[in-house]
Amino acid sequence: SGTVNFDYAGPLIESILEGIKIRVVGSNKTYELVTDKNGVYEIYGVPAGRYRIIPEVPCGWKVS
């Protein structure tokens, strides 16, 4: 699980955070998730191992 954050506290923040695509990439399988209105994503039943978390970066955003 994790959370996508955005340095913005104005109106419509929930609509900005909801539906961001997240890819969880392992050596054998890739999972695709989407965030809820709070920017939270969760996945269950993933085998132990190393994974890369790759968020979809909306136009104009930067990952830090």
Side-chain angles (χ1 to χ4, degrees), residues 24-61:
V24 179
V25 180
S27 59
N28 296 321
K29 189 168 182 177
T30 297
Y31 303 89
E32 292 192 9
L33 317 167
V34 293
T35 58
D36 69 8
K37 70 178 183 173
N38 298 309
V40 175
Y41 59 91
E42 296 178 307
I43 188 170
Y44 299 95
V46 177
R50 294 180 64 111
Y51 294 89
R52 289 185 302 141
I53 309 299
I54 304 171
E56 173 186 67
V57 181
C59 185
W61 287 31

